[in-house]
Amino acid sequence: MAWITRICLTLCMVIMLGTTVPSTVLANGNDLTRVTVLVKIENPDYFWQYPFFGKQLDRITISSYGKTYTIAASSDSEKIEIEVPTDYYLRMNIQLQNGGATLQSLSYSSKHRIRRSDPTMTIVLKAPEPQSIKISSEDFEATRS
């Protein structure tokens, strides 16, 4: 009986490997949807001068499906095209960089699967707005002038 179990186990593994290997084959050109991503930078003069983690950005890189796109400093917008397998989610890794060092890395995944009917999206990047000074102390109370 043990040899029957081994044969069944071996056959199950062969069937399982036979069905999973073809699914890992890369998609051909007909299975890809070209997504146009417009990256807009709100108030670019302020954005590129803002000290993210104490340093100014000199570029932004966006990586998706094996390709990397670069947005140079002082740019106000960039249009990139990413080929995504149809009915897959768009995944991107956005890196804020200074001098080759990554200051912050943001991962993005689309909420919906990519369809051929609406292959465009817009990403807006902006620096934090300056905030007014706020003082709180138990010894003093705020006065208006």
Side-chain angles (χ1 to χ4, degrees):
M1 281 303 204
W3 62 274
I4 293 176
T5 306
R6 287 184 190 154
I7 289 175
C8 288
L9 183 61
T10 304
L11 285 174
C12 288
M13 290 182 72
V14 168
I15 291 170
M16 187 176 68
L17 286 175
T19 58
T20 58
V21 171
S23 66
T24 60
V25 175
L26 293 176
N28 63 28
N30 296 335
D31 296 335
L32 298 175
T33 300
R34 184 172 296 211
V35 179
T36 302
V37 179
L38 180 61
V39 180
K40 289 184 178 180
I41 298 174
E42 187 175 287
N43 196 356
D45 294 333
Y46 178 70
F47 179 86
W48 292 107
Q49 296 301 315
Y50 186 85
F52 289 92
F53 299 102
K55 298 181 181 178
Q56 290 180 346
L57 302 180
D58 59 5
R59 71 175 170 254
I60 298 171
T61 58
I62 299 175
S63 302
S64 181
Y65 289 98
K67 293 187 179 179
T68 301
Y69 308 90
T70 302
I71 300 172
S74 73
S75 176
D76 63 346
S77 67
E78 189 76 31
K79 184 166 86 171
I80 59 176
E81 293 185 345
I82 301 171
E83 291 185 338
V84 180
T86 304
D87 289 331
Y88 276 64
Y89 293 92
L90 173 61
R91 291 182 174 87
M92 294 187 290
N93 187 22
I94 302 169
Q95 296 180 337
L96 307 177
Q97 297 187 328
N98 173 283
T102 300
L103 302 176
Q104 185 174 10
S105 183
L106 309 161
S107 294
Y108 170 83
S109 181
S110 62
K111 290 182 180 180
H112 305 285
R113 295 175 190 259
I114 299 300
R115 307 247 190 259
R116 292 185 194 269
S117 61
D118 186 24
T120 60
M121 66 175 297
T122 301
I123 296 174
V124 178
L125 301 174
K126 57 184 176 179
E129 293 294 325
Q131 297 178 10
S132 61
I133 297 172
K134 187 173 186 178
I135 300 172
S136 66
S137 173
E138 295 176 8
D139 297 336
F140 298 94
E141 57 181 60
T143 59
R144 293 185 182 177
S145 24

